[in-house]
Amino acid sequence: MPDCIFCDIVAGRSPAREVYSDENVVGFLDIRPVMRGHTLLVPRTHSRGLVDLAPEAGGQLFAAGQKVAGAMRHAVGADGVNLLVNDGRAAMQTVFHTHLHVVPRHNGDKLSFAKGLVVRRDPNPDETAELIRGALAR
């Protein structure tokens, strides 16, 4: 899809801190993370939103989400994970290529999570990406 940053990342034309890749899905760190390790998973095939996402692609996306969520527990010490799809402008979707947010959570993190919604940065994203890749390799 022309002018789609996520298609460009999937094709290797735009940089990203990739943490996950299989034949159907690519995962990379969000450039404005809510929490350290916040990862975006995107299908390799473009779909604008849930309405045009093939059901099998949705299943593959969620299966990748389960793997990355499990890795978050080891990589960044997450106690839990939010899986989130923003579908449509009214739902705060800003890149119109279907994607699944995998956001690590920690017990008692409500205040830091709220701060993360405002600040949205990781002090060391290269290290974070390496930690997640390592946990996925286990």
Side-chain angles (χ1 to χ4, degrees), residues 9-50:
I9 289 170
V10 167
R13 293 186 298 265
S14 288
R17 287 183 175 90
E18 189 174 297
V19 299
Y20 179 85
S21 181
D22 66 25
E23 60 277 0
N24 304 301
V25 176
V26 174
F28 47 90
L29 295 183
D30 191 310
I31 61 169
R32 295 188 62 233
V34 173
M35 299 290 281
R36 182 177 191 211
H38 180 172
T39 298
L40 302 179
L41 295 171
V42 302
R44 288 184 180 274
T45 303
H46 184 86
S47 71
R48 189 167 166 77
L50 291 175

Tab-separated table of all heavy atoms in Angstrom, residues 9-50:
chain	number	residue	atom	x	y	z
A	9	ILE	N	7.787	-0.575	6.708
A	9	ILE	CA	8.567	-1.313	7.713
A	9	ILE	C	8.595	-2.798	7.358
A	9	ILE	O	9.654	-3.428	7.366
A	9	ILE	CB	8.007	-1.077	9.132
A	9	ILE	CG1	8.302	0.368	9.577
A	9	ILE	CG2	8.573	-2.095	10.121
A	9	ILE	CD1	7.599	0.789	10.850
A	10	VAL	N	7.446	-3.359	7.014
A	10	VAL	CA	7.365	-4.774	6.639
A	10	VAL	C	8.289	-5.069	5.450
A	10	VAL	O	8.987	-6.086	5.418
A	10	VAL	CB	5.912	-5.177	6.321
A	10	VAL	CG1	5.850	-6.530	5.629
A	10	VAL	CG2	5.060	-5.184	7.591
A	11	ALA	N	8.324	-4.153	4.489
A	11	ALA	CA	9.140	-4.333	3.281
A	11	ALA	C	10.616	-3.993	3.501
A	11	ALA	O	11.429	-4.175	2.595
A	11	ALA	CB	8.577	-3.477	2.149
A	12	GLY	N	10.967	-3.474	4.671
A	12	GLY	CA	12.350	-3.109	4.950
A	12	GLY	C	12.761	-1.761	4.391
A	12	GLY	O	13.947	-1.439	4.361
A	13	ARG	N	11.796	-0.957	3.956
A	13	ARG	CA	12.104	0.369	3.402
A	13	ARG	C	12.178	1.459	4.468
A	13	ARG	O	12.680	2.545	4.207
A	13	ARG	CB	11.051	0.764	2.354
A	13	ARG	CG	11.068	-0.098	1.107
A	13	ARG	CD	10.120	0.433	0.048
A	13	ARG	NE	8.734	0.426	0.483
A	13	ARG	CZ	7.864	-0.555	0.235
A	13	ARG	NH1	8.243	-1.607	-0.457
A	13	ARG	NH2	6.623	-0.472	0.657
A	14	SER	N	11.640	1.187	5.645
A	14	SER	CA	11.687	2.141	6.757
A	14	SER	C	12.264	1.430	7.969
A	14	SER	O	12.017	0.238	8.175
A	14	SER	CB	10.293	2.669	7.087
A	14	SER	OG	9.847	3.541	6.085
A	15	PRO	N	13.018	2.159	8.787
A	15	PRO	CA	13.652	1.525	9.948
A	15	PRO	C	12.650	1.242	11.062
A	15	PRO	O	11.632	1.931	11.200
A	15	PRO	CB	14.672	2.577	10.398
A	15	PRO	CG	14.087	3.875	9.946
A	15	PRO	CD	13.353	3.575	8.663
A	16	ALA	N	12.955	0.218	11.829
A	16	ALA	CA	12.165	-0.121	13.013
A	16	ALA	C	13.029	-1.011	13.894
A	16	ALA	O	13.951	-1.675	13.400
A	16	ALA	CB	10.889	-0.854	12.624
A	17	ARG	N	12.739	-1.026	15.162
A	17	ARG	CA	13.421	-1.932	16.085
A	17	ARG	C	12.607	-3.217	16.131
A	17	ARG	O	11.748	-3.388	16.987
A	17	ARG	CB	13.557	-1.289	17.455
A	17	ARG	CG	14.583	-0.190	17.481
A	17	ARG	CD	14.757	0.403	18.860
A	17	ARG	NE	15.832	1.355	18.855
A	17	ARG	CZ	15.669	2.662	18.602
A	17	ARG	NH1	14.480	3.146	18.327
A	17	ARG	NH2	16.716	3.473	18.625
A	18	GLU	N	12.886	-4.092	15.181
A	18	GLU	CA	12.114	-5.325	15.035
A	18	GLU	C	12.421	-6.275	16.176
A	18	GLU	O	13.574	-6.484	16.538
A	18	GLU	CB	12.459	-5.978	13.700
A	18	GLU	CG	11.561	-7.136	13.345
A	18	GLU	CD	11.828	-7.665	11.947
A	18	GLU	OE1	11.624	-6.906	10.973
A	18	GLU	OE2	12.257	-8.832	11.858
A	19	VAL	N	11.373	-6.868	16.732
A	19	VAL	CA	11.534	-7.846	17.803
A	19	VAL	C	10.934	-9.192	17.444
A	19	VAL	O	11.243	-10.200	18.075
A	19	VAL	CB	10.939	-7.345	19.144
A	19	VAL	CG1	11.642	-6.075	19.603
A	19	VAL	CG2	9.446	-7.123	19.055
A	20	TYR	N	10.062	-9.227	16.428
A	20	TYR	CA	9.366	-10.469	16.069
A	20	TYR	C	9.138	-10.491	14.570
A	20	TYR	O	8.833	-9.452	13.962
A	20	TYR	CB	8.014	-10.546	16.794
A	20	TYR	CG	7.239	-11.787	16.455
A	20	TYR	CD1	7.467	-12.972	17.136
A	20	TYR	CD2	6.303	-11.786	15.424
A	20	TYR	CE1	6.783	-14.126	16.804
A	20	TYR	CE2	5.612	-12.930	15.089
A	20	TYR	CZ	5.851	-14.105	15.783
A	20	TYR	OH	5.176	-15.244	15.446
A	21	SER	N	9.258	-11.679	13.989
A	21	SER	CA	8.966	-11.823	12.575
A	21	SER	C	8.644	-13.273	12.275
A	21	SER	O	9.340	-14.177	12.743
A	21	SER	CB	10.172	-11.371	11.743
A	21	SER	OG	9.891	-11.487	10.364
A	22	ASP	N	7.564	-13.490	11.539
A	22	ASP	CA	7.272	-14.807	10.990
A	22	ASP	C	6.722	-14.594	9.589
A	22	ASP	O	6.770	-13.475	9.064
A	22	ASP	CB	6.345	-15.624	11.908
A	22	ASP	CG	4.931	-15.072	12.053
A	22	ASP	OD1	4.450	-14.349	11.142
A	22	ASP	OD2	4.275	-15.390	13.065
A	23	GLU	N	6.201	-15.615	8.964
A	23	GLU	CA	5.755	-15.483	7.581
A	23	GLU	C	4.523	-14.593	7.423
A	23	GLU	O	4.232	-14.126	6.320
A	23	GLU	CB	5.496	-16.857	6.943
A	23	GLU	CG	4.453	-17.700	7.628
A	23	GLU	CD	4.964	-18.498	8.833
A	23	GLU	OE1	6.156	-18.419	9.177
A	23	GLU	OE2	4.128	-19.184	9.453
A	24	ASN	N	3.819	-14.306	8.514
A	24	ASN	CA	2.578	-13.538	8.434
A	24	ASN	C	2.583	-12.211	9.179
A	24	ASN	O	1.775	-11.336	8.880
A	24	ASN	CB	1.414	-14.385	8.981
A	24	ASN	CG	1.294	-15.698	8.270
A	24	ASN	OD1	1.108	-15.740	7.059
A	24	ASN	ND2	1.430	-16.794	9.007
A	25	VAL	N	3.453	-12.076	10.163
A	25	VAL	CA	3.400	-10.945	11.093
A	25	VAL	C	4.805	-10.405	11.350
A	25	VAL	O	5.759	-11.176	11.433
A	25	VAL	CB	2.760	-11.379	12.436
A	25	VAL	CG1	2.772	-10.256	13.458
A	25	VAL	CG2	1.334	-11.891	12.212
A	26	VAL	N	4.905	-9.088	11.494
A	26	VAL	CA	6.146	-8.431	11.904
A	26	VAL	C	5.839	-7.639	13.174
A	26	VAL	O	4.786	-6.994	13.278
A	26	VAL	CB	6.675	-7.487	10.799
A	26	VAL	CG1	7.882	-6.701	11.286
A	26	VAL	CG2	7.030	-8.279	9.550
A	27	GLY	N	6.761	-7.696	14.138
A	27	GLY	CA	6.604	-6.957	15.384
A	27	GLY	C	7.787	-6.045	15.629
A	27	GLY	O	8.933	-6.430	15.403
A	28	PHE	N	7.503	-4.836	16.082
A	28	PHE	CA	8.560	-3.854	16.339
A	28	PHE	C	8.124	-2.951	17.478
A	28	PHE	O	6.933	-2.817	17.772
A	28	PHE	CB	8.869	-3.037	15.074
A	28	PHE	CG	7.652	-2.510	14.365
A	28	PHE	CD1	7.120	-1.266	14.683
A	28	PHE	CD2	7.027	-3.273	13.390
A	28	PHE	CE1	5.985	-0.795	14.035
A	28	PHE	CE2	5.882	-2.808	12.736
A	28	PHE	CZ	5.370	-1.564	13.057
A	29	LEU	N	9.109	-2.328	18.118
A	29	LEU	CA	8.802	-1.431	19.232
A	29	LEU	C	8.051	-0.203	18.735
A	29	LEU	O	8.374	0.355	17.675
A	29	LEU	CB	10.081	-0.986	19.943
A	29	LEU	CG	10.882	-2.062	20.661
A	29	LEU	CD1	12.077	-1.426	21.359
A	29	LEU	CD2	10.030	-2.831	21.657
A	30	ASP	N	7.062	0.214	19.502
A	30	ASP	CA	6.344	1.454	19.224
A	30	ASP	C	7.327	2.613	19.420
A	30	ASP	O	8.096	2.615	20.385
A	30	ASP	CB	5.164	1.582	20.194
A	30	ASP	CG	4.196	2.681	19.834
A	30	ASP	OD1	4.637	3.824	19.594
A	30	ASP	OD2	2.985	2.413	19.815
A	31	ILE	N	7.330	3.582	18.509
A	31	ILE	CA	8.269	4.707	18.658
A	31	ILE	C	7.847	5.667	19.765
A	31	ILE	O	8.642	6.488	20.200
A	31	ILE	CB	8.483	5.480	17.336
A	31	ILE	CG1	7.190	6.076	16.826
A	31	ILE	CG2	9.152	4.594	16.298
A	31	ILE	CD1	7.388	7.056	15.671
A	32	ARG	N	6.613	5.559	20.214
A	32	ARG	CA	6.129	6.368	21.343
A	32	ARG	C	5.476	5.428	22.355
A	32	ARG	O	4.260	5.415	22.505
A	32	ARG	CB	5.145	7.430	20.848
A	32	ARG	CG	5.827	8.444	19.920
A	32	ARG	CD	4.942	9.611	19.564
A	32	ARG	NE	4.578	10.353	20.757
A	32	ARG	CZ	3.314	10.640	21.104
A	32	ARG	NH1	2.302	10.281	20.345
A	32	ARG	NH2	3.068	11.331	22.194
A	33	PRO	N	6.295	4.623	23.061
A	33	PRO	CA	5.743	3.584	23.930
A	33	PRO	C	5.054	4.130	25.174
A	33	PRO	O	5.517	5.094	25.780
A	33	PRO	CB	6.977	2.768	24.321
A	33	PRO	CG	8.094	3.766	24.275
A	33	PRO	CD	7.759	4.679	23.115
A	34	VAL	N	3.965	3.483	25.538
A	34	VAL	CA	3.284	3.793	26.790
A	34	VAL	C	4.099	3.235	27.956
A	34	VAL	O	4.228	3.871	28.994
A	34	VAL	CB	1.855	3.215	26.782
A	34	VAL	CG1	1.184	3.380	28.130
A	34	VAL	CG2	1.019	3.863	25.689
A	35	MET	N	4.638	2.048	27.755
A	35	MET	CA	5.495	1.393	28.751
A	35	MET	C	6.696	0.817	28.016
A	35	MET	O	6.614	0.517	26.814
A	35	MET	CB	4.753	0.235	29.445
A	35	MET	CG	3.498	0.619	30.209
A	35	MET	SD	3.805	1.567	31.692
A	35	MET	CE	4.293	0.284	32.820
A	36	ARG	N	7.791	0.626	28.724
A	36	ARG	CA	8.973	0.015	28.115
A	36	ARG	C	8.596	-1.370	27.576
A	36	ARG	O	8.020	-2.188	28.288
A	36	ARG	CB	10.084	-0.124	29.146
A	36	ARG	CG	11.343	-0.695	28.556
A	36	ARG	CD	12.446	-0.766	29.570
A	36	ARG	NE	13.700	-1.063	28.897
A	36	ARG	CZ	14.675	-1.737	29.434
A	36	ARG	NH1	14.570	-2.177	30.682
A	36	ARG	NH2	15.772	-1.970	28.760
A	37	GLY	N	8.902	-1.614	26.310
A	37	GLY	CA	8.591	-2.887	25.673
A	37	GLY	C	7.343	-2.859	24.804
A	37	GLY	O	7.067	-3.813	24.089
A	38	HIS	N	6.593	-1.772	24.853
A	38	HIS	CA	5.373	-1.619	24.049
A	38	HIS	C	5.696	-1.965	22.596
A	38	HIS	O	6.515	-1.324	21.953
A	38	HIS	CB	4.888	-0.176	24.190
A	38	HIS	CG	3.649	0.162	23.442
A	38	HIS	ND1	3.032	1.374	23.635
A	38	HIS	CD2	2.909	-0.487	22.510
A	38	HIS	CE1	1.962	1.456	22.850
A	38	HIS	NE2	1.873	0.323	22.157
A	39	THR	N	5.072	-3.015	22.109
A	39	THR	CA	5.357	-3.558	20.788
A	39	THR	C	4.119	-3.485	19.903
A	39	THR	O	2.999	-3.677	20.384
A	39	THR	CB	5.825	-5.027	20.923
A	39	THR	OG1	7.040	-5.040	21.680
A	39	THR	CG2	6.045	-5.694	19.589
A	40	LEU	N	4.336	-3.226	18.625
A	40	LEU	CA	3.263	-3.255	17.628
A	40	LEU	C	3.454	-4.483	16.753
A	40	LEU	O	4.563	-4.745	16.283
A	40	LEU	CB	3.293	-2.001	16.753
A	40	LEU	CG	3.164	-0.668	17.471
A	40	LEU	CD1	3.232	0.476	16.466
A	40	LEU	CD2	1.874	-0.611	18.271
A	41	LEU	N	2.399	-5.230	16.555
A	41	LEU	CA	2.417	-6.372	15.649
A	41	LEU	C	1.534	-6.039	14.461
A	41	LEU	O	0.390	-5.591	14.646
A	41	LEU	CB	1.894	-7.618	16.357
A	41	LEU	CG	2.755	-8.108	17.516
A	41	LEU	CD1	2.035	-9.216	18.283
A	41	LEU	CD2	4.100	-8.608	17.026
A	42	VAL	N	2.055	-6.241	13.257
A	42	VAL	CA	1.303	-5.899	12.047
A	42	VAL	C	1.294	-7.094	11.095
A	42	VAL	O	2.303	-7.787	10.951
A	42	VAL	CB	1.884	-4.659	11.325
A	42	VAL	CG1	1.906	-3.456	12.253
A	42	VAL	CG2	3.265	-4.917	10.776
A	43	PRO	N	0.158	-7.337	10.446
A	43	PRO	CA	0.151	-8.373	9.410
A	43	PRO	C	1.007	-7.918	8.226
A	43	PRO	O	1.056	-6.715	7.927
A	43	PRO	CB	-1.316	-8.487	9.009
A	43	PRO	CG	-2.070	-7.472	9.769
A	43	PRO	CD	-1.135	-6.709	10.628
A	44	ARG	N	1.667	-8.844	7.584
A	44	ARG	CA	2.472	-8.500	6.409
A	44	ARG	C	1.589	-7.998	5.269
A	44	ARG	O	2.036	-7.210	4.448
A	44	ARG	CB	3.295	-9.698	5.951
A	44	ARG	CG	4.434	-10.016	6.898
A	44	ARG	CD	5.303	-11.152	6.352
A	44	ARG	NE	6.381	-11.436	7.272
A	44	ARG	CZ	7.555	-10.806	7.289
A	44	ARG	NH1	7.801	-9.851	6.424
A	44	ARG	NH2	8.483	-11.134	8.160
A	45	THR	N	0.359	-8.462	5.223
A	45	THR	CA	-0.582	-8.026	4.196
A	45	THR	C	-1.367	-6.833	4.723
A	45	THR	O	-1.910	-6.882	5.826
A	45	THR	CB	-1.548	-9.176	3.834
A	45	THR	OG1	-0.780	-10.296	3.418
A	45	THR	CG2	-2.498	-8.761	2.744
A	46	HIS	N	-1.437	-5.773	3.938
A	46	HIS	CA	-2.114	-4.553	4.371
A	46	HIS	C	-3.616	-4.764	4.526
A	46	HIS	O	-4.259	-5.383	3.693
A	46	HIS	CB	-1.873	-3.420	3.356
A	46	HIS	CG	-2.469	-2.128	3.795
A	46	HIS	ND1	-1.797	-1.257	4.622
A	46	HIS	CD2	-3.682	-1.567	3.555
A	46	HIS	CE1	-2.571	-0.206	4.859
A	46	HIS	NE2	-3.718	-0.374	4.219
A	47	SER	N	-4.129	-4.279	5.620
A	47	SER	CA	-5.566	-4.098	5.806
A	47	SER	C	-5.718	-2.811	6.585
A	47	SER	O	-4.933	-2.518	7.484
A	47	SER	CB	-6.214	-5.273	6.540
A	47	SER	OG	-5.832	-5.294	7.896
A	48	ARG	N	-6.676	-2.025	6.222
A	48	ARG	CA	-6.867	-0.709	6.824
A	48	ARG	C	-7.391	-0.804	8.254
A	48	ARG	O	-7.065	0.007	9.108
A	48	ARG	CB	-7.814	0.098	5.941
A	48	ARG	CG	-7.933	1.529	6.328
A	48	ARG	CD	-8.629	2.346	5.239
A	48	ARG	NE	-9.019	3.642	5.753
A	48	ARG	CZ	-8.188	4.652	5.930
A	48	ARG	NH1	-6.913	4.518	5.625
A	48	ARG	NH2	-8.623	5.803	6.405
A	49	GLY	N	-8.206	-1.788	8.514
A	49	GLY	CA	-8.799	-1.961	9.837
A	49	GLY	C	-9.416	-3.340	9.949
A	49	GLY	O	-9.265	-4.187	9.061
A	50	LEU	N	-10.149	-3.562	11.017
A	50	LEU	CA	-10.719	-4.880	11.265
A	50	LEU	C	-11.722	-5.305	10.201
A	50	LEU	O	-11.833	-6.487	9.905
A	50	LEU	CB	-11.378	-4.906	12.651
A	50	LEU	CG	-10.416	-4.826	13.830
A	50	LEU	CD1	-11.189	-4.741	15.140
A	50	LEU	CD2	-9.455	-6.001	13.841
